[in-house]
PDB file of all heavy atoms in Angstrom:
ATOM      1  N   ARG A   1       0.841  -1.193   0.000  1.00 92.00           N
ATOM      2  CA  ARG A   1       0.000   0.000   0.000  1.00 92.00           C
ATOM      3  C   ARG A   1       0.876   1.244   0.000  1.00 92.00           C
ATOM      4  O   ARG A   1       1.986   1.239   0.519  1.00 92.00           O
ATOM      5  CB  ARG A   1      -0.913  -0.003   1.227  1.00 92.00           C
ATOM      6  CG  ARG A   1      -1.984  -1.081   1.209  1.00 92.00           C
ATOM      7  CD  ARG A   1      -2.827  -1.003   2.469  1.00 92.00           C
ATOM      8  NE  ARG A   1      -3.447   0.314   2.621  1.00 92.00           N
ATOM      9  CZ  ARG A   1      -4.005   0.731   3.754  1.00 92.00           C
ATOM     10  NH1 ARG A   1      -4.003  -0.052   4.831  1.00 92.00           N
ATOM     11  NH2 ARG A   1      -4.554   1.937   3.824  1.00 92.00           N
ATOM     12  N   PRO A   2       0.352   2.344  -0.538  1.00 95.00           N
ATOM     13  CA  PRO A   2       1.132   3.586  -0.545  1.00 95.00           C
ATOM     14  C   PRO A   2       1.350   4.117   0.874  1.00 95.00           C
ATOM     15  O   PRO A   2       0.459   4.065   1.715  1.00 95.00           O
ATOM     16  CB  PRO A   2       0.253   4.548  -1.357  1.00 95.00           C
ATOM     17  CG  PRO A   2      -0.692   3.682  -2.117  1.00 95.00           C
ATOM     18  CD  PRO A   2      -0.926   2.479  -1.262  1.00 95.00           C
ATOM     19  N   LEU A   3       2.549   4.634   1.112  1.00 97.00           N
ATOM     20  CA  LEU A   3       2.826   5.300   2.378  1.00 97.00           C
ATOM     21  C   LEU A   3       3.576   6.597   2.119  1.00 97.00           C
ATOM     22  O   LEU A   3       4.258   6.760   1.120  1.00 97.00           O
ATOM     23  CB  LEU A   3       3.611   4.398   3.334  1.00 97.00           C
ATOM     24  CG  LEU A   3       5.063   4.018   3.020  1.00 97.00           C
ATOM     25  CD1 LEU A   3       6.044   5.124   3.430  1.00 97.00           C
ATOM     26  CD2 LEU A   3       5.431   2.746   3.749  1.00 97.00           C
ATOM     27  N   SER A   4       3.408   7.519   3.044  1.00 98.00           N
ATOM     28  CA  SER A   4       4.130   8.773   2.999  1.00 98.00           C
ATOM     29  C   SER A   4       4.367   9.223   4.435  1.00 98.00           C
ATOM     30  O   SER A   4       4.343   8.400   5.352  1.00 98.00           O
ATOM     31  CB  SER A   4       3.345   9.819   2.185  1.00 98.00           C
ATOM     32  OG  SER A   4       4.123  10.995   2.024  1.00 98.00           O
ATOM     33  N   PHE A   5       4.528  10.532   4.624  1.00 98.00           N
ATOM     34  CA  PHE A   5       4.839  11.087   5.942  1.00 98.00           C
ATOM     35  C   PHE A   5       4.092  12.405   6.117  1.00 98.00           C
ATOM     36  O   PHE A   5       3.616  12.981   5.136  1.00 98.00           O
ATOM     37  CB  PHE A   5       6.354  11.275   6.080  1.00 98.00           C
ATOM     38  CG  PHE A   5       7.134  10.036   5.733  1.00 98.00           C
ATOM     39  CD1 PHE A   5       7.667   9.868   4.458  1.00 98.00           C
ATOM     40  CD2 PHE A   5       7.284   9.014   6.648  1.00 98.00           C
ATOM     41  CE1 PHE A   5       8.341   8.723   4.117  1.00 98.00           C
ATOM     42  CE2 PHE A   5       7.960   7.849   6.319  1.00 98.00           C
ATOM     43  CZ  PHE A   5       8.496   7.700   5.054  1.00 98.00           C
ATOM     44  N   PRO A   6       3.963  12.886   7.353  1.00 98.00           N
ATOM     45  CA  PRO A   6       3.142  14.087   7.588  1.00 98.00           C
ATOM     46  C   PRO A   6       3.530  15.293   6.751  1.00 98.00           C
ATOM     47  O   PRO A   6       2.675  16.072   6.343  1.00 98.00           O
ATOM     48  CB  PRO A   6       3.346  14.358   9.090  1.00 98.00           C
ATOM     49  CG  PRO A   6       3.654  13.015   9.672  1.00 98.00           C
ATOM     50  CD  PRO A   6       4.446  12.304   8.618  1.00 98.00           C
ATOM     51  N   GLU A   7       4.821  15.479   6.485  1.00 97.00           N
ATOM     52  CA  GLU A   7       5.263  16.607   5.657  1.00 97.00           C
ATOM     53  C   GLU A   7       5.674  16.171   4.261  1.00 97.00           C
ATOM     54  O   GLU A   7       6.465  16.839   3.592  1.00 97.00           O
ATOM     55  CB  GLU A   7       6.397  17.355   6.343  1.00 97.00           C
ATOM     56  CG  GLU A   7       5.966  18.078   7.604  1.00 97.00           C
ATOM     57  CD  GLU A   7       4.809  19.049   7.349  1.00 97.00           C
ATOM     58  OE1 GLU A   7       4.886  19.802   6.349  1.00 97.00           O
ATOM     59  OE2 GLU A   7       3.833  19.045   8.123  1.00 97.00           O
ATOM     60  N   GLY A   8       5.120  15.052   3.821  1.00 98.00           N
ATOM     61  CA  GLY A   8       5.334  14.613   2.456  1.00 98.00           C
ATOM     62  C   GLY A   8       6.444  13.597   2.304  1.00 98.00           C
ATOM     63  O   GLY A   8       7.208  13.313   3.235  1.00 98.00           O
ATOM     64  N   LEU A   9       6.541  13.065   1.093  1.00 98.00           N
ATOM     65  CA  LEU A   9       7.527  12.022   0.814  1.00 98.00           C
ATOM     66  C   LEU A   9       8.952  12.527   0.957  1.00 98.00           C
ATOM     67  O   LEU A   9       9.874  11.745   1.195  1.00 98.00           O
ATOM     68  CB  LEU A   9       7.297  11.472  -0.592  1.00 98.00           C
ATOM     69  CG  LEU A   9       8.008  10.165  -0.950  1.00 98.00           C
ATOM     70  CD1 LEU A   9       7.612   9.046   0.009  1.00 98.00           C
ATOM     71  CD2 LEU A   9       7.704   9.759  -2.385  1.00 98.00           C
ATOM     72  N   ALA A  10       9.162  13.849   0.830  1.00 98.00           N
ATOM     73  CA  ALA A  10      10.511  14.409   0.951  1.00 98.00           C
ATOM     74  C   ALA A  10      11.115  14.199   2.331  1.00 98.00           C
ATOM     75  O   ALA A  10      12.328  14.369   2.512  1.00 98.00           O
ATOM     76  CB  ALA A  10      10.493  15.902   0.619  1.00 98.00           C
ATOM     77  N   GLU A  11      10.299  13.824   3.310  1.00 98.00           N
ATOM     78  CA  GLU A  11      10.862  13.503   4.631  1.00 98.00           C
ATOM     79  C   GLU A  11      11.874  12.366   4.536  1.00 98.00           C
ATOM     80  O   GLU A  11      12.844  12.342   5.295  1.00 98.00           O
ATOM     81  CB  GLU A  11       9.755  13.128   5.619  1.00 98.00           C
ATOM     82  CG  GLU A  11       8.978  14.298   6.178  1.00 98.00           C
ATOM     83  CD  GLU A  11       8.234  13.926   7.449  1.00 98.00           C
ATOM     84  OE1 GLU A  11       8.814  13.180   8.270  1.00 98.00           O
ATOM     85  OE2 GLU A  11       7.090  14.356   7.616  1.00 98.00           O
ATOM     86  N   LEU A  12      11.637  11.421   3.617  1.00 98.00           N
ATOM     87  CA  LEU A  12      12.532  10.258   3.517  1.00 98.00           C
ATOM     88  C   LEU A  12      13.928  10.660   3.047  1.00 98.00           C
ATOM     89  O   LEU A  12      14.916  10.360   3.742  1.00 98.00           O
ATOM     90  CB  LEU A  12      11.924   9.200   2.596  1.00 98.00           C
ATOM     91  CG  LEU A  12      12.753   7.928   2.368  1.00 98.00           C
ATOM     92  CD1 LEU A  12      13.083   7.242   3.685  1.00 98.00           C
ATOM     93  CD2 LEU A  12      12.013   6.968   1.430  1.00 98.00           C
ATOM     94  N   PRO A  13      14.096  11.335   1.902  1.00 98.00           N
ATOM     95  CA  PRO A  13      15.461  11.732   1.520  1.00 98.00           C
ATOM     96  C   PRO A  13      16.095  12.702   2.512  1.00 98.00           C
ATOM     97  O   PRO A  13      17.306  12.648   2.728  1.00 98.00           O
ATOM     98  CB  PRO A  13      15.284  12.368   0.137  1.00 98.00           C
ATOM     99  CG  PRO A  13      13.844  12.681   0.021  1.00 98.00           C
ATOM    100  CD  PRO A  13      13.122  11.660   0.833  1.00 98.00           C
ATOM    101  N   ARG A  14      15.291  13.571   3.135  1.00 98.00           N
ATOM    102  CA  ARG A  14      15.875  14.493   4.124  1.00 98.00           C
ATOM    103  C   ARG A  14      16.440  13.731   5.314  1.00 98.00           C
ATOM    104  O   ARG A  14      17.528  14.040   5.813  1.00 98.00           O
ATOM    105  CB  ARG A  14      14.825  15.507   4.595  1.00 98.00           C
ATOM    106  CG  ARG A  14      14.551  16.615   3.608  1.00 98.00           C
ATOM    107  CD  ARG A  14      13.908  17.810   4.293  1.00 98.00           C
ATOM    108  NE  ARG A  14      12.623  17.479   4.893  1.00 98.00           N
ATOM    109  CZ  ARG A  14      11.451  17.666   4.286  1.00 98.00           C
ATOM    110  NH1 ARG A  14      11.411  18.174   3.059  1.00 98.00           N
ATOM    111  NH2 ARG A  14      10.320  17.372   4.893  1.00 98.00           N
ATOM    112  N   ALA A  15      15.705  12.723   5.788  1.00 98.00           N
ATOM    113  CA  ALA A  15      16.176  11.939   6.927  1.00 98.00           C
ATOM    114  C   ALA A  15      17.426  11.140   6.569  1.00 98.00           C
ATOM    115  O   ALA A  15      18.353  11.030   7.378  1.00 98.00           O
ATOM    116  CB  ALA A  15      15.065  11.002   7.409  1.00 98.00           C
ATOM    117  N   LEU A  16      17.462  10.587   5.358  1.00 98.00           N
ATOM    118  CA  LEU A  16      18.645   9.840   4.929  1.00 98.00           C
ATOM    119  C   LEU A  16      19.853  10.759   4.820  1.00 98.00           C
ATOM    120  O   LEU A  16      20.968  10.399   5.226  1.00 98.00           O
ATOM    121  CB  LEU A  16      18.372   9.155   3.590  1.00 98.00           C
ATOM    122  CG  LEU A  16      17.322   8.034   3.605  1.00 98.00           C
ATOM    123  CD1 LEU A  16      16.970   7.608   2.191  1.00 98.00           C
ATOM    124  CD2 LEU A  16      17.823   6.839   4.417  1.00 98.00           C
ATOM    125  N   ALA A  17      19.652  11.959   4.284  1.00 98.00           N
ATOM    126  CA  ALA A  17      20.745  12.922   4.147  1.00 98.00           C
ATOM    127  C   ALA A  17      21.246  13.368   5.515  1.00 98.00           C
ATOM    128  O   ALA A  17      22.457  13.501   5.744  1.00 98.00           O
ATOM    129  CB  ALA A  17      20.291  14.124   3.332  1.00 98.00           C
ATOM    130  N   THR A  18      20.326  13.590   6.448  1.00 98.00           N
ATOM    131  CA  THR A  18      20.720  13.991   7.800  1.00 98.00           C
ATOM    132  C   THR A  18      21.546  12.907   8.470  1.00 98.00           C
ATOM    133  O   THR A  18      22.547  13.188   9.141  1.00 98.00           O
ATOM    134  CB  THR A  18      19.471  14.301   8.642  1.00 98.00           C
ATOM    135  OG1 THR A  18      18.754  15.388   8.042  1.00 98.00           O
ATOM    136  CG2 THR A  18      19.844  14.665  10.069  1.00 98.00           C
ATOM    137  N   ALA A  19      21.136  11.648   8.287  1.00 97.00           N
ATOM    138  CA  ALA A  19      21.877  10.539   8.890  1.00 97.00           C
ATOM    139  C   ALA A  19      23.282  10.419   8.305  1.00 97.00           C
ATOM    140  O   ALA A  19      24.230  10.056   9.008  1.00 97.00           O
ATOM    141  CB  ALA A  19      21.112   9.231   8.689  1.00 97.00           C
ATOM    142  N   LEU A  20      23.442  10.748   7.023  1.00 97.00           N
ATOM    143  CA  LEU A  20      24.770  10.681   6.404  1.00 97.00           C
ATOM    144  C   LEU A  20      25.671  11.805   6.895  1.00 97.00           C
ATOM    145  O   LEU A  20      26.898  11.652   6.941  1.00 97.00           O
ATOM    146  CB  LEU A  20      24.643  10.755   4.877  1.00 97.00           C
ATOM    147  CG  LEU A  20      24.090   9.508   4.178  1.00 97.00           C
ATOM    148  CD1 LEU A  20      23.777   9.812   2.726  1.00 97.00           C
ATOM    149  CD2 LEU A  20      25.094   8.358   4.284  1.00 97.00           C
ATOM    150  N   GLY A  21      25.083  12.926   7.286  1.00 97.00           N
ATOM    151  CA  GLY A  21      25.859  14.025   7.844  1.00 97.00           C
ATOM    152  C   GLY A  21      26.935  14.527   6.900  1.00 97.00           C
ATOM    153  O   GLY A  21      26.682  14.802   5.728  1.00 97.00           O
ATOM    154  N   ALA A  22      28.161  14.626   7.424  1.00 96.00           N
ATOM    155  CA  ALA A  22      29.278  15.168   6.634  1.00 96.00           C
ATOM    156  C   ALA A  22      29.683  14.257   5.487  1.00 96.00           C
ATOM    157  O   ALA A  22      30.442  14.679   4.598  1.00 96.00           O
ATOM    158  CB  ALA A  22      30.478  15.420   7.543  1.00 96.00           C
ATOM    159  N   ARG A  23      29.175  13.022   5.467  1.00 97.00           N
ATOM    160  CA  ARG A  23      29.498  12.118   4.359  1.00 97.00           C
ATOM    161  C   ARG A  23      28.786  12.533   3.075  1.00 97.00           C
ATOM    162  O   ARG A  23      29.145  12.084   1.989  1.00 97.00           O
ATOM    163  CB  ARG A  23      29.123  10.682   4.718  1.00 97.00           C
ATOM    164  CG  ARG A  23      30.055  10.059   5.749  1.00 97.00           C
ATOM    165  CD  ARG A  23      29.566   8.718   6.235  1.00 97.00           C
ATOM    166  NE  ARG A  23      28.341   8.848   7.028  1.00 97.00           N
ATOM    167  CZ  ARG A  23      27.875   7.907   7.851  1.00 97.00           C
ATOM    168  NH1 ARG A  23      28.530   6.765   7.973  1.00 97.00           N
ATOM    169  NH2 ARG A  23      26.763   8.099   8.540  1.00 97.00           N
ATOM    170  N   ARG A  24      27.774  13.392   3.197  1.00 97.00           N
ATOM    171  CA  ARG A  24      27.104  13.946   2.012  1.00 97.00           C
ATOM    172  C   ARG A  24      27.647  15.350   1.762  1.00 97.00           C
ATOM    173  O   ARG A  24      27.633  16.201   2.638  1.00 97.00           O
ATOM    174  CB  ARG A  24      25.597  14.016   2.232  1.00 97.00           C
ATOM    175  CG  ARG A  24      24.844  14.665   1.070  1.00 97.00           C
ATOM    176  CD  ARG A  24      23.345  14.712   1.344  1.00 97.00           C
ATOM    177  NE  ARG A  24      22.624  15.347   0.247  1.00 97.00           N
ATOM    178  CZ  ARG A  24      22.277  16.633   0.200  1.00 97.00           C
ATOM    179  NH1 ARG A  24      22.582  17.437   1.215  1.00 97.00           N
ATOM    180  NH2 ARG A  24      21.629  17.121  -0.840  1.00 97.00           N
ATOM    181  N   ARG A  25      28.130  15.574   0.562  1.00 95.00           N
ATOM    182  CA  ARG A  25      28.626  16.895   0.194  1.00 95.00           C
ATOM    183  C   ARG A  25      27.907  17.389  -1.049  1.00 95.00           C
ATOM    184  O   ARG A  25      27.613  16.612  -1.959  1.00 95.00           O
ATOM    185  CB  ARG A  25      30.143  16.877  -0.035  1.00 95.00           C
ATOM    186  CG  ARG A  25      30.599  15.958  -1.157  1.00 95.00           C
ATOM    187  CD  ARG A  25      32.100  16.069  -1.382  1.00 95.00           C
ATOM    188  NE  ARG A  25      32.851  15.448  -0.300  1.00 95.00           N
ATOM    189  CZ  ARG A  25      34.179  15.470  -0.198  1.00 95.00           C
ATOM    190  NH1 ARG A  25      34.894  16.096  -1.114  1.00 95.00           N
ATOM    191  NH2 ARG A  25      34.790  14.870   0.804  1.00 95.00           N
ATOM    192  N   VAL A  26      27.598  18.683  -1.043  1.00 96.00           N
ATOM    193  CA  VAL A  26      26.918  19.289  -2.182  1.00 96.00           C
ATOM    194  C   VAL A  26      27.978  19.810  -3.141  1.00 96.00           C
ATOM    195  O   VAL A  26      28.687  20.783  -2.845  1.00 96.00           O
ATOM    196  CB  VAL A  26      25.983  20.423  -1.730  1.00 96.00           C
ATOM    197  CG1 VAL A  26      25.312  21.065  -2.945  1.00 96.00           C
ATOM    198  CG2 VAL A  26      24.931  19.883  -0.763  1.00 96.00           C
ATOM    199  N   ALA A  27      28.097  19.149  -4.263  1.00 96.00           N
ATOM    200  CA  ALA A  27      29.084  19.510  -5.281  1.00 96.00           C
ATOM    201  C   ALA A  27      28.719  18.802  -6.570  1.00 96.00           C
ATOM    202  O   ALA A  27      27.970  17.813  -6.562  1.00 96.00           O
ATOM    203  CB  ALA A  27      30.487  19.110  -4.848  1.00 96.00           C
ATOM    204  N   ARG A  28      29.236  19.292  -7.687  1.00 96.00           N
ATOM    205  CA  ARG A  28      28.990  18.648  -8.971  1.00 96.00           C
ATOM    206  C   ARG A  28      30.214  17.841  -9.391  1.00 96.00           C
ATOM    207  O   ARG A  28      31.342  18.345  -9.361  1.00 96.00           O
ATOM    208  CB  ARG A  28      28.680  19.690 -10.046  1.00 96.00           C
ATOM    209  CG  ARG A  28      28.360  19.082 -11.422  1.00 96.00           C
ATOM    210  CD  ARG A  28      28.057  20.168 -12.431  1.00 96.00           C
ATOM    211  NE  ARG A  28      26.848  20.886 -12.082  1.00 96.00           N
ATOM    212  CZ  ARG A  28      25.605  20.487 -12.412  1.00 96.00           C
ATOM    213  NH1 ARG A  28      25.444  19.356 -13.085  1.00 96.00           N
ATOM    214  NH2 ARG A  28      24.558  21.199 -12.071  1.00 96.00           N
ATOM    215  N   ALA A  29      29.973  16.579  -9.729  1.00 97.00           N
ATOM    216  CA  ALA A  29      31.050  15.737 -10.265  1.00 97.00           C
ATOM    217  C   ALA A  29      31.292  16.138 -11.709  1.00 97.00           C
ATOM    218  O   ALA A  29      30.422  15.990 -12.570  1.00 97.00           O
ATOM    219  CB  ALA A  29      30.662  14.265 -10.177  1.00 97.00           C
ATOM    220  N   ARG A  30      32.484  16.687 -11.979  1.00 97.00           N
ATOM    221  CA  ARG A  30      32.792  17.218 -13.308  1.00 97.00           C
ATOM    222  C   ARG A  30      33.431  16.188 -14.227  1.00 97.00           C
ATOM    223  O   ARG A  30      33.225  16.215 -15.438  1.00 97.00           O
ATOM    224  CB  ARG A  30      33.745  18.410 -13.157  1.00 97.00           C
ATOM    225  CG  ARG A  30      33.201  19.538 -12.305  1.00 97.00           C
ATOM    226  CD  ARG A  30      32.116  20.279 -13.040  1.00 97.00           C
ATOM    227  NE  ARG A  30      31.592  21.407 -12.263  1.00 97.00           N
ATOM    228  CZ  ARG A  30      30.622  22.213 -12.687  1.00 97.00           C
ATOM    229  NH1 ARG A  30      30.091  22.009 -13.875  1.00 97.00           N
ATOM    230  NH2 ARG A  30      30.192  23.206 -11.937  1.00 97.00           N
ATOM    231  N   ALA A  31      34.232  15.297 -13.652  1.00 97.00           N
ATOM    232  CA  ALA A  31      34.942  14.305 -14.473  1.00 97.00           C
ATOM    233  C   ALA A  31      35.338  13.129 -13.598  1.00 97.00           C
ATOM    234  O   ALA A  31      35.396  13.227 -12.363  1.00 97.00           O
ATOM    235  CB  ALA A  31      36.176  14.929 -15.117  1.00 97.00           C
ATOM    236  N   LEU A  32      35.626  12.033 -14.264  1.00 97.00           N
ATOM    237  CA  LEU A  32      35.977  10.785 -13.593  1.00 97.00           C
ATOM    238  C   LEU A  32      37.130  10.155 -14.347  1.00 97.00           C
ATOM    239  O   LEU A  32      37.093  10.049 -15.573  1.00 97.00           O
ATOM    240  CB  LEU A  32      34.749   9.863 -13.601  1.00 97.00           C
ATOM    241  CG  LEU A  32      34.818   8.506 -12.938  1.00 97.00           C
ATOM    242  CD1 LEU A  32      35.006   8.656 -11.424  1.00 97.00           C
ATOM    243  CD2 LEU A  32      33.527   7.724 -13.231  1.00 97.00           C
ATOM    244  N   GLU A  33      38.167   9.738 -13.598  1.00 96.00           N
ATOM    245  CA  GLU A  33      39.305   9.109 -14.269  1.00 96.00           C
ATOM    246  C   GLU A  33      39.933   8.064 -13.360  1.00 96.00           C
ATOM    247  O   GLU A  33      39.878   8.163 -12.130  1.00 96.00           O
ATOM    248  CB  GLU A  33      40.353  10.154 -14.647  1.00 96.00           C
ATOM    249  CG  GLU A  33      40.977  10.867 -13.459  1.00 96.00           C
ATOM    250  CD  GLU A  33      42.035  11.874 -13.886  1.00 96.00           C
ATOM    251  OE1 GLU A  33      42.048  12.267 -15.066  1.00 96.00           O
ATOM    252  OE2 GLU A  33      42.846  12.264 -13.028  1.00 96.00           O
ATOM    253  N   PRO A  34      40.514   7.013 -13.966  1.00 95.00           N
ATOM    254  CA  PRO A  34      41.193   5.999 -13.159  1.00 95.00           C
ATOM    255  C   PRO A  34      42.372   6.620 -12.413  1.00 95.00           C
ATOM    256  O   PRO A  34      43.031   7.531 -12.901  1.00 95.00           O
ATOM    257  CB  PRO A  34      41.665   4.976 -14.196  1.00 95.00           C
ATOM    258  CG  PRO A  34      40.824   5.219 -15.401  1.00 95.00           C
ATOM    259  CD  PRO A  34      40.532   6.684 -15.408  1.00 95.00           C
ATOM    260  N   ALA A  35      42.610   6.119 -11.220  1.00 94.00           N
ATOM    261  CA  ALA A  35      43.736   6.576 -10.405  1.00 94.00           C
ATOM    262  C   ALA A  35      44.300   5.377  -9.671  1.00 94.00           C
ATOM    263  O   ALA A  35      43.712   4.287  -9.668  1.00 94.00           O
ATOM    264  CB  ALA A  35      43.297   7.654  -9.418  1.00 94.00           C
ATOM    265  N   ALA A  36      45.453   5.552  -9.060  1.00 89.00           N
ATOM    266  CA  ALA A  36      46.085   4.459  -8.321  1.00 89.00           C
ATOM    267  C   ALA A  36      45.138   3.956  -7.236  1.00 89.00           C
ATOM    268  O   ALA A  36      44.685   4.722  -6.386  1.00 89.00           O
ATOM    269  CB  ALA A  36      47.395   4.948  -7.700  1.00 89.00           C
ATOM    270  N   GLY A  37      44.834   2.680  -7.305  1.00 88.00           N
ATOM    271  CA  GLY A  37      43.971   2.082  -6.288  1.00 88.00           C
ATOM    272  C   GLY A  37      42.495   2.334  -6.484  1.00 88.00           C
ATOM    273  O   GLY A  37      41.687   2.003  -5.619  1.00 88.00           O
ATOM    274  N   GLY A  38      42.107   2.928  -7.616  1.00 95.00           N
ATOM    275  CA  GLY A  38      40.687   3.151  -7.821  1.00 95.00           C
ATOM    276  C   GLY A  38      40.378   4.260  -8.791  1.00 95.00           C
ATOM    277  O   GLY A  38      40.813   4.226  -9.944  1.00 95.00           O
ATOM    278  N   TRP A  39      39.668   5.296  -8.293  1.00 97.00           N
ATOM    279  CA  TRP A  39      39.161   6.351  -9.161  1.00 97.00           C
ATOM    280  C   TRP A  39      39.370   7.725  -8.538  1.00 97.00           C
ATOM    281  O   TRP A  39      39.397   7.877  -7.318  1.00 97.00           O
ATOM    282  CB  TRP A  39      37.662   6.145  -9.425  1.00 97.00           C
ATOM    283  CG  TRP A  39      37.388   4.921 -10.229  1.00 97.00           C
ATOM    284  CD1 TRP A  39      37.185   3.666  -9.752  1.00 97.00           C
ATOM    285  CD2 TRP A  39      37.340   4.829 -11.645  1.00 97.00           C
ATOM    286  NE1 TRP A  39      36.987   2.784 -10.789  1.00 97.00           N
ATOM    287  CE2 TRP A  39      37.070   3.480 -11.975  1.00 97.00           C
ATOM    288  CE3 TRP A  39      37.460   5.746 -12.680  1.00 97.00           C
ATOM    289  CZ2 TRP A  39      36.941   3.033 -13.274  1.00 97.00           C
ATOM    290  CZ3 TRP A  39      37.331   5.320 -13.981  1.00 97.00           C
ATOM    291  CH2 TRP A  39      37.066   3.963 -14.280  1.00 97.00           C
TER     292      TRP A  39
END
């Protein structure tokens, strides 16, 4: 069945982002290239 939250479905991504804390950064990924040990 459909579920949501009192202030809308956006509560879910907001709560996930809050839990990630400093591990979430607002920035645009401009390019991707191989590097030693990964990317």
Side-chain angles (χ1 to χ4, degrees):
R1 292 180 58 194
L3 68 82
S4 186
F5 309 96
E7 292 304 314
L9 194 58
E11 283 199 40
L12 179 57
R14 283 200 299 265
L16 293 170
T18 299
L20 287 169
R23 288 172 292 198
R24 176 180 179 265
R25 61 176 72 184
V26 178
R28 182 180 295 275
R30 301 288 182 180
L32 181 65
E33 63 179 18
W39 293 89

